[in-house]
Amino acid sequence: TISSLFCSGSRSSKTFKPKKNIPEGSHQYELLKHAEATLGSGNLRMAVMLPEGEDLNEWVAVNTVDFFNQINMLYGTITDFCTEESCPVMSAGPKYEYHWADGTNIKKPIKCSAPKYIDYLMTWVQDQLDDETLFPSKIGVPFPKNFMSVAKTILKRLFRVYAHIYHQHFDPVIQLQEEAHLNTSFKHFIFFVQEFNLIDRRELAPLQELIEKLTSKDR
């Protein structure tokens, strides 16, 4: 499965933030196991589909946690290359620059280095995932009405970390032999957000060519 891909080799097990665990024995844990089993079959289009009879919010929640963990791991492997000096702005190629705002602590978007931006971003995502009112882990606790819009914002922001890695740090990814992991993880992510229409096409523009290349084989 993809998750076990990342654990092979001690170098790859470095995470940027603590891993977010889904409690064993919970329904969400069962869903995660289902996702891993279908991923193992190699058909990513099938793997992202909502399992029969399941709640869409719950499926999106489980996968969002999983993508956070994957990106956490991938970025963790290249943090030595992503520094204040190498990446004074958070960008995805020359045409795309991101400024950070979370709407609560930082209301007006600030320009900051990529490592600082990604630290803000991952800490913010972590806080959302840890919020039981947003991401309930207990069975029978309903998801809030605004859950889908929060999930969309999380995924939109996680995409930016992929975009930064691809545009600014692809050489170290190749040196570390992480290219296959990165491509598989990103392809899974893209199929997922496409299946449920979770990220606006304009937001995906920095990696549009890559997305077309990765997804064209699986039409």
Side-chain angles (χ1 to χ4, degrees):
T1 65
I2 287 187
S3 306
S4 61
L5 269 178
F6 292 124
C7 301
S8 56
S10 57
R11 177 189 63 233
S12 325
S13 59
K14 183 176 155 193
T15 57
F16 178 57
K17 297 274 173 201
K19 187 169 185 278
K20 170 78 181 163
N21 288 318
I22 289 176
E24 275 191 57
S26 66
H27 183 61
Q28 292 187 7
Y29 189 77
E30 296 305 310
L31 274 179
L32 182 66
K33 288 285 154 247
H34 168 88
E36 288 183 351
T38 48
L39 280 173
S41 73
N43 185 333
L44 289 173
R45 284 258 184 244
M46 290 288 290
V48 298
M49 287 177 183
L50 180 66
E52 207 174 325
E54 292 298 344
D55 175 52
L56 179 60
N57 284 345
E58 200 154 32
W59 183 237
V60 169
V62 166
N63 281 278
T64 301
V65 169
D66 197 34
F67 288 127
F68 168 76
N69 287 334
Q70 288 184 38
I71 292 167
N72 205 353
M73 197 81 95
L74 283 160
Y75 184 69
T77 63
I78 58 107
T79 46
D80 295 348
F81 304 95
C82 187
T83 63
E84 301 281 327
E85 294 72 40
S86 70
C87 303
V89 295
M90 172 64 178
S91 63
K95 289 203 302 221
Y96 300 96
E97 188 177 306
Y98 300 113
H99 297 176
W100 178 256
D102 57 16
T104 46
N105 300 323
I106 300 173
K107 293 194 166 76
K108 196 167 180 256
I110 57 167
K111 191 171 178 169
C112 53
S113 68
K116 190 102 186 121
Y117 184 100
I118 292 171
D119 192 22
Y120 279 133
L121 187 155
M122 296 298 267
T123 303
W124 177 83
V125 173
Q126 217 171 12
D127 290 345
Q128 311 305 304
L129 300 182
D130 287 340
D131 184 343
E132 280 288 327
T133 62
L134 271 179
F135 279 77
S137 58
K138 294 177 182 65
I139 290 182
V141 177
F143 281 84
K145 296 227 174 353
N146 66 332
F147 171 75
M148 215 38 106
S149 70
V150 173
K152 284 177 175 179
T153 305
I154 292 173
L155 293 164
K156 174 180 81 176
R157 289 178 171 173
L158 287 176
F159 168 82
R160 294 171 181 178
V161 185
Y162 279 120
H164 180 71
I165 294 172
Y166 271 112
H167 276 283
Q168 312 302 131
H169 302 295
F170 200 58
D171 287 344
V173 166
I174 291 169
Q175 283 162 28
L176 293 165
Q177 300 180 316
E178 301 275 343
E179 191 184 352
H181 294 185
L182 177 63
N183 285 345
T184 308
S185 173
F186 181 61
K187 189 172 173 179
H188 179 202
F189 178 88
I190 286 301
F191 280 1
F192 190 81
V193 299
Q194 284 178 343
E195 175 73 12
F196 303 105
N197 205 12
L198 298 169
I199 300 183
D200 193 300
R201 238 184 107 85
R202 283 183 317 232
E203 284 286 337
L204 300 174
L207 293 178
Q208 198 49 51
E209 279 177 41
L210 176 70
I211 291 169
E212 280 165 20
K213 197 171 121 189
L214 287 176
T215 57
S216 63
K217 299 186 193 79
D218 295 84
R219 289 256 152 79

